Amino acid sequence: MDPSGERFSSASADLETLVALLKTHDIFASMEERHLQNIAAACPIEDVATDKVLFRQGDPGNFAYLLVSGELSVDVATPHGDVTLAVLNAPDMVGEISVFARKPRTATVRTRSAAQLLRLDRDVVRGLLIDHPDAILTIIGALGSRLQGMNGAIATLTQAAEALSNDAFQPGMLETLKAEAGRFGQFAHVFDKMAGEIREKSAQREEMRMAAKVQDSFLPSGIDPGAFGETFDIAASMIPAKDVGGDFYDYFMVGDGKLGFAIGDVCGKGMPAAMFMSVSRMILKTLAREGHPPGTVISRLNDVLADDNPECMFVTLFYGCLDLETGMLSYSSAGHEDVYWLGYCGNCERVESLGPIAGVFENTNYPTRTRQIAPGDGVLLVTDGVTEALNPNGELYGHDRLKRLLETSKNASATGWIETLNAEVSKFAAEAAQSDDITCLAMIFQGSESG
């Protein structure tokens, strides 16, 4: 087909310039100067306007184009829509396979801007080869080298694509992609895009690594209960998701005879959530150790977080303080509904939240509630990574399923409750991806001999 535009003889362009352009391509680079001059002199130059189709995928082809000026796009139709495979600039060449083989066009090529093109017809090139058969070996060698280069580039591209999908890419792949892009020049933008995606994912992975490090550094490493070491049993665990969130748990002594314990879940993922988590935990622990009632602790924590929070981040949390001599538990919560009393006789009771999420609404007063804990009774705190765990069918684990588990399980230790729950959630989720941190804290009051 003839593209829309005016056609001129090659005399309208500088013959020396056209020969220099031909030399930039491996197919013609080793040809003698006189051969290239014959090609340049025999091939017409076409001026083509913007957004004109030069040929379509599937069309028969018997010519190629050398881009003298302007820009072309190479589009390939797939079952899922058209894909722009390459954007070409002078002095790129397009359609050269059709010069040497009677094969349909493998792509649609159109102008992205006004372009000047040197048209290389098959008959012209074939006539040259008949007159100069030694040039055939040169072309075969060039095509073989190109195929070898393409194989290497495709192998690198495939390896990088698999690494991206498996999140197993390595920094060295960036340099390999850049090196292969030079061989496979017309697809350089594909490699650049993939390299950019690798850089972005590497940055995200580094952020998640740092967020996990921050999250892990704020988890308690132990507790010194002093004379009250036999009065309680406490255990906790966190199974982080791939995209690290802002879960935390903590337990610590308040004065000489009280045990403080808390759990929290910050909205969001990555470093922002980890930093918001660390601030929330630090403020909570500081206020708690000053001896304030749980409601006061959460109220003041909420005011600090809400005072300067342009991103509107928030945290759900529960804080309890147990008097280890009397078994009196005082507690408060902010938007955290995953709390269960564990009765010694096997009964289980879910505790409703006592106030809204913390960090959004200033001047909110959170109440303090009290509850007498008998020896053998306990409390289980979890984040919504438990209740919102999904199985392969898309079903939630849910509060009801958790409550039934707690009512039917018999555990004599805090560690036993944590292990039972984690095992059941893992069994329920099966092979489904974990979308949120799974955090649990269990505490059992064992009683005081003096009480």
Side-chain angles (χ1 to χ4, degrees):
M1 70 159 247
D2 289 325
S4 174
E6 300 181 27
R7 174 176 289 190
F8 301 87
S9 71
S10 59
S12 64
D14 182 75
L15 189 64
E16 185 178 343
T17 299
L18 296 180
V19 169
L21 289 174
L22 288 170
K23 282 184 177 180
T24 62
H25 294 276
D26 51 6
I27 292 177
F28 301 103
S30 300
M31 286 188 177
E32 295 180 15
E33 184 87 8
R34 59 193 178 89
H35 294 165
L36 298 179
Q37 288 177 348
N38 290 339
I39 293 176
C43 294
I45 286 183
E46 298 175 357
D47 286 352
V48 184
T50 303
D51 200 29
K52 295 294 182 180
V53 175
L54 303 181
F55 47 78
R56 295 188 182 278
Q57 184 174 345
D59 286 350
N62 58 6
F63 63 89
Y65 279 123
L66 176 69
L67 188 55
V68 179
S69 65
E71 190 175 69
L72 307 178
S73 69
V74 180
D75 302 324
V76 174
T78 75
H80 307 289
D82 292 347
V83 175
T84 297
L85 194 61
V87 175
L88 307 183
N89 296 278
D92 289 330
M93 186 178 293
V94 65
E96 59 267 40
I97 298 300
S98 294
V99 174
F100 304 102
R102 296 182 181 274
K103 297 293 183 182
R105 302 292 190 184
T106 58
T108 297
V109 177
R110 58 169 47 85
T111 57
R112 290 168 58 96
S113 67
Q116 191 174 63
L117 307 160
L118 179 68
R119 176 169 168 147
L120 301 166
D121 285 288
R122 179 190 296 152
D123 291 341
V124 173
V125 176
R126 180 172 293 177
L128 170 68
L129 298 180
I130 291 174
D131 294 336
H132 306 281
D134 56 309
I136 295 177
L137 295 178
T138 300
I139 292 174
I140 291 174
L143 291 176
S145 296
R146 176 178 292 193
L147 179 60
Q148 184 179 15
M150 285 184 176
N151 286 341
I154 290 172
T156 299
L157 190 64
T158 302
Q159 183 184 46
E162 291 177 350
L164 280 173
S165 64
N166 297 328
D167 198 19
F169 46 83
Q170 302 171 6
M173 286 185 179
L174 292 175
E175 296 305 318
T176 306
L177 283 171
K178 291 177 183 178
E180 293 295 351
R183 287 175 164 185
F184 211 14
Q186 64 265 44
F187 298 109
H189 77 289
V190 176
F191 289 94
D192 286 342
K193 183 177 180 181
M194 179 167 285
E197 188 173 349
I198 287 180
R199 281 191 291 269
E200 182 179 349
K201 283 201 168 188
S202 294
Q204 291 174 351
R205 184 170 63 174
E206 178 62 17
E207 179 183 337
M208 290 303 173
R209 188 187 71 81
M210 292 301 298
K213 189 174 181 179
V214 169
Q215 188 180 43
D216 185 65
S217 69
F218 279 95
L219 299 179
S221 57
I223 189 171
D224 182 9
F228 294 92
E230 302 298 322
T231 61
F232 68 92
D233 179 22
I234 194 165
S237 75
M238 178 185 294
I239 304 174
K242 181 179 179 182
D243 295 330
V244 179
D247 281 12
F248 70 92
Y249 63 82
D250 204 354
Y251 46 85
F252 46 87
M253 296 301 293
V254 179
D256 293 331
K258 293 182 179 180
L259 171 68
F261 55 95
I263 195 168
D265 185 359
V266 173
C267 72
K269 305 290 182 185
M271 187 58 73
M275 296 306 296
F276 197 81
M277 174 275 294
S278 66
V279 171
S280 300
R281 175 191 174 275
M282 188 179 303
I283 295 172
L284 184 147
K285 193 168 187 175
T286 300
L287 293 171
R289 281 182 163 169
E290 291 177 356
H292 299 291
T296 302
V297 170
I298 294 182
S299 296
R300 292 178 61 178
L301 166 66
N302 172 72
D303 288 342
V304 174
L305 295 179
D307 181 56
D308 185 15
N309 186 11
E311 300 300 323
C312 292
M313 297 191 72
F314 62 85
V315 58
T316 70
L317 60 92
F318 175 96
Y319 167 56
C321 185
L322 176 65
D323 188 315
L324 296 173
E325 289 187 312
T326 66
M328 183 62 69
L329 174 67
S330 57
Y331 64 93
S332 189
S333 61
H336 203 90
E337 300 180 344
D338 301 310
V339 178
Y340 297 84
W341 301 126
L342 304 176
Y344 177 72
C345 298
N347 60 308
C348 173
E349 178 186 345
R350 184 181 171 199
V351 183
E352 297 296 331
S353 175
L354 298 180
I357 55 178
V360 178
F361 308 106
E362 290 187 75
N363 302 317
T364 300
N365 292 318
Y366 293 84
T368 296
R369 295 284 186 266
T370 59
R371 184 183 184 105
Q372 183 65 49
I373 301 294
D377 290 348
V379 60
L380 176 72
L381 317 176
V382 302
T383 59
D384 59 12
V386 173
T387 54
E388 295 181 5
L390 293 171
N391 67 11
N393 296 324
E395 299 173 311
L396 289 172
Y397 188 78
H399 296 99
D400 292 341
R401 187 177 275 106
L402 174 56
K403 191 171 184 294
R404 287 195 299 270
L405 172 68
L406 300 180
E407 289 172 339
T408 56
S409 298
K410 303 297 181 183
N411 289 289
S413 68
T415 299
W417 282 111
I418 298 296
E419 291 177 347
T420 295
L421 178 56
N422 285 336
E424 286 299 310
V425 172
S426 177
K427 180 180 178 181
F428 172 81
E431 300 300 320
Q434 181 183 334
S435 61
D436 202 356
D437 297 344
I438 295 176
T439 305
C440 313
L441 184 150
M443 189 281 297
I444 297 176
F445 179 54
Q446 295 172 329
S448 171
E449 292 183 3
S450 60

